[in-house]
């Protein structure tokens, strides 16, 4: 009953209508769930003690008087009035004078006498009627009068909306379903629950619909099962030869101009197909566009058209399209797709242009297919370039290397050599994860190329490479050099901007981030095939804003990226990662983890291309750690270690901070602080002051106030509010100033950093407690609890201490917490670099203070749940 709550309520109101006939007419297209609704109402009535009758009308029983009621009523007698009275008595028999609910399914198939009987039942006070009819079908006057004359309420059952389809899929599959799968299944079935059921069953059986990382995802092309094909064919009805021609031409070439469709088939046949609901006609400006009325009509007919006939029809459609003179990219792509599997001679120019456009649309499998046909037909360098681009996007790395060799051999001009070099560097750096080789290829090309324009294009690539490798100052210089030339090609300008934004993020030059990212987006907008680069542009901008503490702005940038890159390959997955970083930085732990799980599932099969899986796991592991899901955090950390991307050394401080949060979740605060300070040292050594600020702020949240002076110094050189806010929190923590920590909490909350605000409030509560300011301590602890609740119940060492204040030293609490998480004494000793005897001593003293020697009781006391 997913998505049908309102309908059930409406049926219940109609069934309880006081005075007069009671019941409802459920009208809708086949498969929307009318029968299921009627069955649900019948079952509930039976549970409440009502007598129920289930009647199904069929075409075969229509020729018999009261055929639908056979087995329920007697039909003897020549007087129709007497027969109807006996029939009513038969249906009411056994009800003991109580309520009787009669459900009549497919009432549009009732014979005349059965329709009269239904009408008579509607007038009986003891009867509640639930009648289903199919829209678009003729209905007996006695039945239509039920709603036209106001006896029963007519309720039109619409198809499931996309959100309702998603809810139904989640309920049936028992786990979340990724948005792309929901959208695709909703569009293909048009919200028809019956079609959806058979589609899901077939795709489950075929293994294309499967759970990945706890999220259901559908990949590959749809295959219509025999059962689903039978349902769709029944919906379409019998097709005459000429109507079949109309449907088949549209199945292969929709949408088509109405005039062109008429030219390819016959006007009368097109009109008949429209009247029968097989074809829809829509106005597009001054033209009329035709397409099949349901997507599954095309799936079923394409499967049934013979190979030779399909080749002939595709050739005819492609030829007719060419004769119209339409040469837009969409028209060229349609002609190329049709020509590929037709009886026409290959056209290398058409195939090359169409393959390039398919790359722009990120339909990479189609781009590869057309591109290979273009190469085979003699398309040359540009055709080969589309094959390389398609295979790179599809993450088929082994094949890319061979195609790059072929591309290099075809490169003749300096411009072509530069493009081949850029493609090779991109592959080696981001896909093959061999950045040292990428740098060597770039060095060789720079030495070889003499043309200034070509050299600047290579400098633009170097800017992005240097930014990823953790050399932000070099990256910013290279980007500035390349971008200074106004004639820099769009691709080079976009790459240079990506490198510049990444560099500015690490350098803490947050005021320059927005303009640099805007310039990059403007460059990307100059060519549709560069739309993909909007994602890393936004990703680095969001990262820089997060480092700087501009968290509201980070969220706005992430949402804008999600909106403007919907048509990009892996758009949902990649923008989910960007959005999750923004959400987690604002303490929205549950939201971030949902986005990341969906992204993780979608990235399956893509490997670690572009480092996106690494980025996903970085944020996911941190989120799992602060959520308190220690088992999942450890598992995610293990995978993260394996997936570190060598071209993203700029994120080494982030990796160390993520490890620190997992250690903190285990209670190993000393180990966590050691990792945090290592992250700060790495950031400083790599010239990444913004990362150093984040690392030191993390140290403050974990209880280290000794970094106040360093943060104050960084605040004079690093843009954004985080550095000064962290310095203020550290200064208050260093002198155990509860009022200062509470003020810091308020400031951090205003910035949007709810988790850091919660930690600062928890630290204030501890400070007030140490100074015996009990009322203020309780107020600060309540604030910390409220903020933690806003973060989805996040857990940090400071919050745990505030939730369960215990008479323990910090070291005792640390060791007790680690023991409560199941770590043996030897592992605790090794991780804290102390002896086992020291660990045992702390556990003994803690137990004495708390009045227990049981580890299980210690765990109960230390945990806040």
């Amino acid at each position: 009953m997913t998505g049908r709550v309102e309908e059930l309520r409406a049926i219940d109101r109609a069934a309880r209508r006081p005075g007069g006939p009671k019941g409802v007419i459920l009208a809708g297209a086949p498969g929307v769930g009318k029968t299921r609704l009627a069955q649900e109402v019948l079952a509930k009535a039976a549970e409440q003690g009502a007598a129920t009758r289930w009647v199904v009308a069929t075409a075969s029983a229509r020729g018999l008087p009261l055929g639908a009621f056979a087995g329920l009523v007697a039909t003897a007698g020549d007087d129709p009035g007497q027969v109807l009275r006996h029939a009513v008595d038969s249906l009411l028999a056994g009800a003991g004078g109580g309520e009787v609910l009669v459900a009549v399914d497919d009432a549009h198939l009732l014979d005349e006498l059965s329709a009269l009987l239904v009408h008579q039942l509607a007038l009986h006070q003891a009867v509640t009627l639930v009648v289903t009819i199919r829209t678009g079908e003729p209905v007996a006057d006695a039945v239509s009068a039920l709603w036209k004359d106001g006896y029963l309420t007519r309720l039109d059952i619409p198809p499931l909306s996309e959100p309702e389809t998603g809810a139904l899929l989640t309920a049936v599959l028992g786990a979340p379903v990724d948005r792309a799968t929901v959208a695709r299944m909703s569009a293909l079935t048009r919200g028809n629950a019956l079609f959806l059921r058979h589609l899901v069953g077939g795709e489950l059986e075929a293994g294309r619909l499967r759970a990945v990382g706890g999220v259901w995802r559908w990949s590959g092309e749809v295959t219509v099962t025999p059962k689903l094909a039978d349902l769709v064919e029944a919906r379409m009805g019998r097709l005459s030869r000429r109507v079949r021609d109309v449907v088949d031409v549209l199945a292969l070439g929709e949408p088509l101009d109405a005039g062109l469709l008429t030219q390819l088939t016959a006007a009368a046949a097109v009109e008949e197909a429209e009247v029968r609901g097989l074809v829809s006609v829509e106005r597009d400006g001054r033209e009329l566009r035709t397409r099949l009325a349901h997507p599954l009509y095309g799936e079923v007919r394409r499967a049934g058209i013979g190979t030779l006939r399909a080749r002939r029809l595709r050739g005819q459609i492609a030829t007719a399209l060419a004769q119209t003179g339409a040469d837009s990219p969409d028209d060229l792509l349609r002609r190329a797709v049709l020509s590929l599997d037709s009886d026409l001679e290959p056209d290398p120019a058409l195939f090359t242009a169409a393959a390039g456009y398919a790359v722009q649309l990120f339909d990479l499998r189609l781009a590869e297919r057309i591109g290979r046909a273009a190469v085979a037909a003699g398309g040359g360098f540009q055709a080969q370039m589309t094959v390389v681009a398609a295979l790179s996007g599809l993450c088929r790395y082994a094949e890319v290397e061979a195609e790059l060799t072929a591309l290099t051999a075809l490169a003749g001009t300096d411009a072509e050599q530069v493009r081949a070099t850029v493609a090779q560097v991109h592959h080696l750096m981001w896909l093959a994860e061999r950045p040292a080789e990428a740098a060597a290829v770039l060095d060789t090309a720079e030495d070889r190329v003499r043309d200034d324009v070509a050299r600047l294009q290579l400098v633009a690539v170097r800017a992005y490479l240097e930014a990823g490798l953790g050399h932000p100052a070099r990256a910013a210089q290279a980007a500035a050099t390349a971008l200074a030339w106004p004639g820099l090609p769009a691709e080079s300008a976009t790459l240079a901007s990506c490198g510049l934004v990444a560099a500015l993020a690490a350098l803490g030059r947050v005021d320059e981030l927005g303009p640099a990212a805007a310039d990059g987006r403007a460059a990307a907008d100059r060519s549709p095939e560069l739309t993909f680069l909007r994602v890393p542009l936004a990703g680095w901008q969001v990262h820089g804003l997060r480092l700087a503490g501009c968290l509201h702005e980070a969220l706005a940038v992430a949402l804008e990226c999600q909106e403007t890159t919907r048509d990009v390959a892996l758009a949902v997955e990649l923008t989910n990662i960007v959005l999750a970083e923004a959400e987690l930085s604002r303490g929205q732990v549950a939201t971030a983890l949902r986005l990341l799980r969906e992204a993780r599932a979608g990235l399956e099969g893509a490997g670690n291309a572009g480092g996106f899986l690494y980025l996903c796991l970085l944020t996911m592991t941190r989120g799992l750690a602060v959520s308190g899901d220690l088992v999942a955090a450890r598992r995610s950390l293990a995978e993260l270690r394996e997936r570190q991307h060598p071209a993203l050394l700029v994120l080494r401080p982030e990796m160390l901070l993520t490890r620190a949060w997992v250690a903190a979740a285990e209670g190993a605060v000393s180990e966590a602080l050691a990792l945090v300070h290592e992250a700060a040292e790495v950031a400083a050594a790599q010239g990444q002051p913004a990362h150093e600020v984040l690392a030191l702020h993390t140290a403050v949240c974990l209880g280290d106030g000794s970094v106040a002076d360093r943060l104050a110094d960084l605040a004079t050189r690093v843009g954004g509010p985080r550095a000064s806010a962290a310095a203020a929190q550290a200064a208050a923590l260093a002198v155990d100033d509860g009022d200062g920590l509470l003020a810091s909490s308020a400031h951090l909350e205003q910035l949007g950093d709810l988790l850091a605000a919660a930690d600062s409030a928890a630290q204030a509560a501890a400070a007030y407690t140490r100074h015996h300011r009990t009322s203020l301590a309780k107020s600060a602890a309540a604030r910390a609890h409220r903020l933690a609740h806003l973060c989805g119940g996040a857990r940090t060492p400071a919050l745990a201490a505030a939730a369960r204040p215990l008479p323990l030293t910090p070291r005792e609490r640390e060791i007790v917490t680690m023991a409560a998480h199941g770590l043996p004494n030897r592992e605790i000793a090794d991780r804290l670099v102390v002896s086992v005897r020291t660990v045992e001593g702390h556990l003994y003293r803690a137990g004495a203070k708390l009045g227990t020697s049981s580890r299980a009781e210690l765990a109960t006391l230390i945990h806040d749940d």
Side-chain angles (χ1 to χ4, degrees):
M1 290 295 99
T2 301
R4 297 305 187 204
V5 175
E6 290 303 319
E7 285 83 353
L8 284 172
R9 288 174 180 165
I11 294 170
D12 186 62
R13 288 194 298 269
R16 295 175 183 273
R17 186 169 60 179
K22 301 185 295 295
V24 65
I25 302 285
L26 303 179
V32 296
K34 306 181 298 297
T35 301
R36 180 68 185 87
L37 273 170
Q39 290 172 335
E40 181 73 10
V41 173
L42 201 75
K44 286 188 175 181
E47 288 175 3
Q48 295 168 4
T52 61
R53 309 287 186 261
W54 178 252
V55 179
V56 180
T58 64
S60 59
R62 196 173 197 171
L64 301 173
L66 294 181
F69 290 85
L72 291 175
V73 301
T75 59
D78 296 326
D79 181 1
Q82 187 177 10
V83 170
L84 287 175
R85 285 192 295 275
H86 286 315
V88 171
D89 292 341
S90 297
L91 289 168
L92 297 180
E99 290 283 327
V100 177
L101 189 143
V102 180
V104 183
D105 195 28
D106 287 340
H108 54 281
L109 297 176
L110 289 173
D111 61 90
E112 290 296 333
L113 194 58
S114 294
L116 285 171
L117 175 57
V118 171
H119 194 277
Q120 290 294 312
L121 289 170
L123 302 177
H124 203 290
Q125 291 186 348
V127 174
T128 299
L129 268 178
V130 177
V131 179
T132 76
I133 60 171
R134 181 179 298 181
T135 53
E137 296 287 342
V139 181
D141 291 341
V143 174
S144 62
L146 292 176
W147 75 84
K148 290 180 178 179
D149 294 343
Y151 293 117
L152 300 183
T153 300
R154 173 171 169 147
L155 184 62
D156 288 289
I157 308 301
L160 295 171
S161 66
E162 185 174 314
E164 289 167 345
T165 298
L168 179 56
L169 288 169
T170 298
V172 170
L173 297 171
V177 182
D178 84 297
R179 284 177 291 169
T181 295
V182 172
R184 190 178 170 201
M185 286 197 163
S186 178
L188 190 60
T189 62
R190 295 277 179 88
N192 187 298
L194 185 59
F195 289 171
L196 182 65
R197 187 182 78 186
H198 286 283
L199 177 63
V200 168
E203 295 308 300
L204 282 171
E205 187 176 348
R208 289 183 292 269
L209 177 61
R210 56 199 185 92
V212 181
V215 177
W216 285 92
R217 182 174 176 80
W218 183 27
S219 59
E221 298 299 321
V222 63
T223 299
V224 179
T225 63
K227 288 182 180 179
L228 181 55
D230 288 345
L231 289 170
V232 174
E233 286 172 349
R235 172 89 170 261
M236 294 170 70
R238 290 181 60 85
L239 303 179
S240 64
R241 184 183 60 80
R242 64 178 194 170
V243 170
R244 184 200 63 186
D245 287 343
V246 172
V247 173
D248 288 353
V249 167
L250 284 175
L252 296 172
E254 67 177 343
L256 290 174
D257 176 75
L260 188 62
L261 179 60
T262 299
Q263 175 188 329
L264 289 165
T265 56
V270 174
E271 293 166 6
E272 182 183 347
E274 182 189 8
V275 169
R276 289 183 54 181
L278 297 169
V279 172
S280 64
V281 182
E282 303 163 355
R283 183 166 292 281
D284 182 9
R286 298 176 61 185
E287 297 181 346
L288 292 176
R289 292 281 182 181
T290 59
R291 63 177 70 243
L292 292 176
H294 197 288
L296 285 175
Y297 293 172
E299 296 290 345
V300 170
R301 285 306 306 155
R302 281 191 293 273
I305 302 174
T307 301
L308 294 177
R309 181 166 177 269
R311 285 176 61 82
R312 175 175 57 80
L313 289 176
R314 289 192 186 98
Q316 290 175 355
I317 300 169
T319 301
L321 286 170
Q323 289 171 349
T324 66
D327 58 356
S328 71
D330 287 317
D331 291 317
L332 294 177
L333 182 57
R334 291 178 65 202
R335 281 175 51 202
V337 171
L338 289 163
S339 299
L340 273 176
D341 293 318
S342 75
D343 52 5
L344 300 178
E345 288 296 317
D347 182 341
L350 172 65
F351 287 170
T352 301
Y357 186 54
V359 170
Q360 292 179 23
L361 296 176
F362 297 96
D363 192 340
L364 299 176
R365 288 182 174 81
L366 180 60
E368 180 202 358
R369 186 162 170 254
I370 302 175
R372 289 194 184 280
V375 170
F381 179 86
Q382 185 57 40
Q384 183 66 27
M385 192 72 193
T386 63
V387 174
V388 170
L391 292 175
S392 296
L394 292 169
C395 307
R396 287 157 54 185
Y397 313 136
E399 296 173 67
V400 172
E401 303 235 351
E403 299 298 341
L404 279 170
T405 301
L407 181 70
T408 303
L410 289 169
T413 66
D414 277 355
E416 288 178 346
Q417 289 176 11
V418 167
R419 292 184 67 194
T421 298
V422 172
Q424 190 173 7
V425 170
H426 171 80
H427 168 72
L428 290 170
M429 183 174 179
W430 297 113
L431 307 183
E433 301 184 35
R434 288 151 33 201
E437 291 181 46
V441 168
L442 196 55
D443 291 340
T444 301
E446 286 179 335
D447 291 340
R448 186 179 65 245
V449 172
R450 294 289 175 262
D451 180 75
D452 289 342
V453 176
R455 287 182 63 82
L456 285 173
Q457 290 176 260
L458 296 176
V459 171
V461 177
R462 184 171 293 281
Y464 202 13
L465 184 146
E466 294 285 9
L469 293 177
H471 307 138
R474 282 191 238 166
Q477 181 58 51
T481 300
L483 292 169
W485 184 55
L488 193 66
E491 181 181 9
S492 300
T494 310
L495 287 172
S497 296
C498 284
L500 179 59
V501 172
L504 294 173
L507 292 168
R509 290 157 56 180
V510 67
D511 291 341
E512 301 172 55
L513 271 180
D519 288 344
R521 289 192 295 271
D525 289 344
R526 283 155 54 190
S527 176
E529 65 188 44
L530 300 177
T531 304
F532 172 81
L533 290 174
R534 273 179 163 265
V535 178
L537 265 172
W540 288 117
Q541 186 180 5
V542 166
H543 185 65
L545 291 167
R546 170 187 156 235
L547 294 175
C550 304
L551 307 184
H552 301 303
E553 188 179 347
L555 179 63
V557 170
L559 290 171
E560 191 269 343
C561 176
Q562 188 178 60
E563 185 63 31
T564 57
T565 58
R566 292 185 181 277
D567 296 330
V568 174
L570 294 176
V572 171
E573 294 79 6
L574 302 187
T575 56
N576 271 9
I577 297 171
V578 175
L579 184 56
E581 180 174 6
E583 292 285 18
L584 186 60
S585 72
R586 298 171 61 253
Q588 303 307 301
V589 180
T591 299
L593 288 175
R594 176 181 58 78
L595 291 166
L596 291 164
R597 288 188 179 104
E598 190 172 315
R600 177 69 185 87
L603 289 172
E604 190 203 21
N608 201 12
F612 288 113
L613 180 56
Y614 176 46
L615 295 170
C616 179
L617 290 169
L618 266 176
T619 310
M620 179 181 286
T621 306
R622 190 167 72 250
L624 290 168
V626 298
S627 76
D629 191 346
L630 188 52
V631 173
R634 286 168 173 161
R635 186 168 56 245
S636 185
L637 179 60
E639 186 179 6
L640 175 62
R641 290 176 183 273
E642 296 175 358
R643 296 292 190 169
Q644 291 185 73
H645 200 291
L648 286 172
L649 298 181
V650 67
L651 296 178
R652 283 177 61 202
E654 290 279 3
M655 178 67 184
L656 290 163
L657 290 179
T658 299
R659 289 172 55 194
W661 279 114
V662 175
E666 294 173 321
V669 179
S670 299
E671 180 183 339
L673 281 169
L675 287 165
V676 166
H677 282 285
E678 184 182 351
E681 292 167 4
V682 168
Q686 293 186 178
Q688 299 171 203
H691 285 99
E692 186 181 359
V693 168
L694 178 65
L696 295 180
H697 191 195
T698 304
V700 176
C701 291
L702 290 174
D704 183 0
S706 68
V707 297
D709 290 343
R710 176 59 178 167
L711 278 167
D713 176 57
L714 286 168
T716 65
R717 297 184 284 113
V718 177
R722 182 185 296 278
S724 58
Q729 184 184 354
L733 183 65
V735 296
D736 209 26
D737 177 7
D739 292 341
L741 287 165
L742 207 57
S744 287
S745 175
H747 185 207
L748 289 164
E749 182 181 11
Q750 186 179 26
L751 295 179
D753 194 342
L754 298 186
L755 191 55
D759 277 334
S760 192
Q763 291 167 344
Y768 285 136
T769 299
R770 284 188 290 270
H771 291 284
H772 308 294
R773 301 171 72 180
T774 306
S775 177
L776 289 174
K778 289 181 178 179
S779 176
R783 173 180 174 78
H785 177 75
R786 175 182 66 82
L787 291 167
H789 180 72
L790 292 175
C791 297
R795 301 178 185 184
T796 66
L799 289 171
R804 286 290 179 92
L806 298 171
L808 303 176
T809 67
R811 179 63 102 181
E812 287 169 350
R813 186 169 193 119
E814 178 179 33
I815 290 175
V816 168
T817 301
M818 294 176 75
H821 283 304
L823 275 66
N825 290 354
R826 167 57 64 187
E827 184 175 348
I828 296 173
D830 290 344
R831 292 179 66 170
L832 299 183
V833 197
V834 296
S835 68
V836 173
R837 181 168 293 183
T838 299
V839 171
E840 292 171 346
H842 281 301
L843 287 172
Y844 175 77
R845 286 188 290 276
K849 290 179 181 180
L850 299 175
T852 180
S853 59
S854 164
R855 280 199 177 211
E857 291 181 6
L858 284 174
T860 301
L861 289 170
I862 205 73
H863 288 155
D864 61 343
D865 55 352

